[in-house]
Amino acid sequence: MVRGAQPSASLLLFSLGLVLLYFTSGGTIGLAEGQKTWCVAKPSADEKVLTANLNYACSQVNCGVIQPGGPCYKPDNLVSHAAVAMNLYYAAHGRNAWNCYFQNSALVVQSDPSYGSCTYY
């Protein structure tokens, strides 16, 4: 077998070390201490997936802010409501990267997505 056709053992160990570091650090490598993050829905995410995410998140946390009359009700669309609900879930469960996976339909962001009277916690 030609050398280089397979990754070396040292490269595999190094990669494994990085993966372990990522998960043991809460998925926050590269963030300054105390840097706040938020979880938002990908605008391109499938509607069925976003609906499932919205339903799941709201079964785990209080989603009253996206109900009619709530501060995050408008804009009244699936992506916006899912983003708020997914962030509520993410925040309530420790802001870990794995709490924002949602079938690969979400992103962890470092810019506060709050708007108007709608505050993302």
Side-chain angles (χ1 to χ4, degrees):
M1 185 137 228
V2 177
R3 176 111 171 111
Q6 294 182 2
S8 68
S10 60
L11 177 61
L12 289 173
L13 287 174
F14 177 73
S15 298
L16 178 60
L18 286 177
V19 169
L20 289 173
L21 178 61
Y22 177 79
F23 282 108
T24 59
S25 70
T28 57
I29 293 174
L31 294 177
E33 184 67 30
Q35 172 71 47
K36 192 168 180 182
T37 57
W38 295 266
C39 177
V40 296
K42 290 180 182 177
S44 62
D46 180 76
E47 286 188 13
K48 288 181 183 177
V49 172
L50 287 180
T51 299
N53 295 345
L54 178 63
N55 291 336
Y56 175 74
C58 291
S59 76
Q60 303 294 308
V61 296
N62 181 347
C63 289
V65 295
I66 60 173
Q67 298 303 313
C72 302
Y73 178 69
K74 296 207 178 212
D76 182 15
N77 64 61
L78 180 59
V79 173
S80 179
H81 288 182
V84 171
M86 292 156 68
N87 185 69
L88 287 168
Y89 177 89
Y90 172 73
H93 289 87
R95 296 187 191 278
N96 300 299
W98 55 85
N99 297 124
C100 185
Y101 180 69
F102 290 101
Q103 300 176 39
N104 200 28
S105 64
L107 299 168
V108 174
V109 298
Q110 295 179 19
S111 297
D112 187 350
S114 298
Y115 58 92
S117 61
C118 180
T119 302
Y120 278 61
Y121 295 98

